[in-house]
Amino acid sequence: MEVKSGEAERDATGAAVILRILRVSLHVGFAVLLLVALVRLLSGGINGPAWLHVGLALCLAGVYLAGTVLEKRHSARPVRFNPGPLSAWWLGAVCLLWLLLIWGSPDFVWLAFPLFFLQLHVLRRGPALAAVAASTVLVVAALWFHNGGPAGSPLQLPIVLGPLFGAAFAVVTGLAYRALYFEAENQRLAAEELRRTRAELARSQHDAGTLAERTRLAREIHDTLAQGFSSIVLMGRSAEQALEAGDTAMARDRLRTVQDTAAANLAEARNFVRGLQSPDLEQSSLVDSLRRLCTQTETEAGARGAALRCRLEVEGTPAELPNPYRTTLLRAAQSSLANVWTHANAGTAVVTLSYLGSEVAMDIFDDGAGFDPSAVPERTDGSGYGLASLRDRVAALAGTLDVESAPGEGTVVAIRLPLEGEPSPAAPAGAPAKGEQ
């Protein structure tokens, strides 16, 4: 049978089980002693005083049952009415009815023992001990009174020792019960705090995962779709200007570039959904993808009227790289070259891909206007995200990113990615790498 998590954690401690058994035993003992007293009272015949005692006994049973039921419901569902503030008044009503009963019949004297435990549980320690002492004196007085009192035999030792030892046993047991109760309550509070901590940790982990996924999507969108849309807008304007100038050949060429860029963006969007690598890397090697990127960069710069020359240089023996490395290097080149033809006003851009055995490096150089890397402003229009995105990508692969630039002196973006083990030789430039079609 399934158990709710809150109940399972409360019931997991032996203290809670012991307390439940003691409470049930206390209530059952009170009911049994009250029933025995009623049976003994009724066995002597029913007369006027007997009916009064029966009524008082039924009132005592009703008051006692009402208090225990309210306490049980509140412990099961704390949102219910809390009887705690009224517990002392309830105990006072129970004790008053009991006093009336023992004054009329000695059969109800033995109810004092479960009442001792109630007094120790409901009242604070000082008032509880005083109440137990007073109840013990009243029990001794009632027994002496019903055995003849001052007019009969003198006070006998058993009449004193019985209630006295009973009260002492109740005090020791009640104090142990009280300590056990507080221990169980502390464990319950600790379990609730643990549940809250777990819930807060789960929420924080969920929020962290959501933020990480948003950051990843922001990087992908900035480095692919946003750059592609920017190129489409630029080429569309260039085609419009060519049509106005009557140069249909250039307009056709620009529209073809728009179609190719839109198709590439569509493929990128579909790969976002599938969580795959860049479509460029699925169709060809990293070197070929970078070479096409350089050609596309020259075309987009030409659409703006800039005479930019962009070339790729490969140093070392090309090696097969893991997909995350290839994607990071391609995205870095896309983002950096987009900044070159958009902002740098450069005449030359060089992408250098170096295979160095234990690491792979890529440098993107341009001879443009340059900038101060320490004073890059934050923009509210969603742009200006490329450098931060690139740093996140490189850091995820334990690599390093350095940006060297100054106003009027061009820019160099240098990336170093450490490789695990020796990379395997790649296929010749222009041929698909292993695992690529």
Side-chain angles (χ1 to χ4, degrees):
M1 181 178 67
E2 287 192 12
V3 183
K4 294 182 179 179
S5 60
E7 295 177 352
E9 291 182 2
R10 287 196 298 268
D11 295 344
T13 62
V17 176
I18 295 173
L19 287 174
R20 186 182 300 108
I21 294 174
L22 290 176
R23 284 196 299 270
V24 172
S25 300
L26 174 65
H27 299 326
V28 170
F30 186 90
V32 169
L33 290 175
L34 182 60
L35 181 61
V36 169
L38 273 174
V39 171
R40 287 176 57 85
L41 179 65
L42 296 176
S43 64
I46 300 178
N47 50 32
W51 282 114
L52 178 60
H53 294 150
V54 170
L56 289 174
L58 293 178
C59 287
L60 176 59
V63 172
Y64 188 91
L65 181 63
T68 55
V69 169
L70 288 176
E71 181 189 16
K72 177 64 177 177
R73 289 186 177 181
H74 177 69
S75 62
R77 293 183 58 185
V79 296
R80 291 177 177 269
F81 167 71
N82 183 12
L86 302 178
S87 58
W89 293 98
W90 169 78
L91 179 62
V94 170
C95 291
L96 177 60
L97 291 171
W98 170 70
L99 288 175
L100 295 175
L101 285 171
I102 65 172
W103 203 252
S105 172
D107 297 323
F108 296 95
V109 164
W110 309 114
L111 288 173
F113 295 104
L115 286 180
F116 289 157
F117 291 104
L118 284 179
Q119 291 165 349
L120 291 167
H121 177 66
V122 173
L123 302 177
R124 293 192 301 271
R125 179 176 299 180
L129 293 177
V132 170
S135 299
T136 304
V137 172
L138 290 173
V139 168
V140 172
L143 290 175
W144 187 30
F145 174 78
H146 288 293
N147 281 278
S153 62
L155 185 63
Q156 299 178 359
L157 186 61
I159 294 179
V160 177
L161 291 181
L164 188 60
F165 277 110
F169 176 79
V171 168
V172 173
T173 307
L175 292 178
Y177 175 91
R178 191 184 189 92
L180 193 61
Y181 171 80
F182 284 123
E183 176 65 20
E185 186 67 12
N186 290 334
Q187 292 179 358
R188 182 185 67 82
L189 295 176
E192 291 180 354
E193 181 65 24
L194 178 61
R195 282 199 306 275
R196 286 194 296 268
T197 303
R198 287 176 178 174
E200 292 175 0
L201 179 60
R203 282 195 300 270
S204 64
Q205 290 177 340
H206 173 74
D207 294 341
T210 301
L211 180 60
E213 181 64 13
R214 288 177 178 175
T215 303
R216 185 189 72 84
L217 290 177
R219 288 198 303 263
E220 296 294 337
I221 291 172
H222 176 273
D223 294 343
T224 56
L225 300 183
Q227 302 292 356
F229 289 143
S230 177
S231 177
I232 289 172
V233 171
L234 175 62
M235 290 298 173
R237 291 174 181 171
S238 179
E240 183 180 8
Q241 294 172 358
L243 288 175
E244 291 176 352
D247 190 349
T248 57
M250 180 177 288
R252 187 179 298 108
D253 181 66
R254 297 291 185 257
L255 289 176
R256 188 177 300 111
T257 303
V258 168
Q259 292 175 353
D260 292 343
T261 304
N265 271 20
L266 178 60
E268 291 284 4
R270 288 172 175 169
N271 275 272
F272 289 163
V273 176
R274 295 195 300 266
L276 302 178
Q277 63 178 340
S278 172
D280 290 339
L281 296 175
E282 289 183 346
Q283 301 298 326
S284 61
S285 66
L286 174 62
V287 172
D288 285 344
S289 298
L290 291 174
R291 186 173 289 116
R292 282 197 304 271
L293 177 62
C294 289
T295 302
Q296 181 183 354
T297 300
E298 288 186 352
T299 302
E300 292 172 344
R304 297 173 63 94
L308 174 65
R309 293 294 175 262
C310 182
R311 70 178 186 272
L312 171 68
E313 295 182 356
V314 180
E315 298 180 354
T317 303
E320 181 182 353
L321 301 176
N323 286 336
Y325 286 68
R326 297 159 61 203
T327 300
T328 296
L329 293 173
L330 178 60
R331 296 291 186 244
Q334 288 173 332
S335 178
S336 299
L337 291 179
N339 288 332
V340 170
W341 66 262
T342 303
H343 305 295
N345 193 24
T348 302
V350 181
V351 178
T352 303
L353 181 63
S354 303
Y355 295 91
L356 306 177
S358 61
E359 66 177 12
V360 60
M362 187 170 69
D363 300 323
I364 301 99
F365 160 78
D366 72 82
D367 59 358
F371 66 100
D372 183 0
S374 64
V376 178
E378 295 185 1
R379 304 176 185 175
T380 58
D381 59 354
S383 62
Y385 184 69
L387 191 57
S389 169
L390 186 53
R391 290 189 187 279
D392 291 340
R393 286 183 182 277
V394 173
L397 297 178
T400 59
L401 170 67
D402 295 314
V403 180
E404 299 179 5
S405 183
E409 297 184 7
T411 302
V412 176
V413 177
I415 299 171
R416 300 292 184 272
L417 298 179
L419 297 176
E420 297 180 359
E422 290 293 330
S424 60
K434 182 180 179 180
E436 296 176 338
Q437 301 295 331

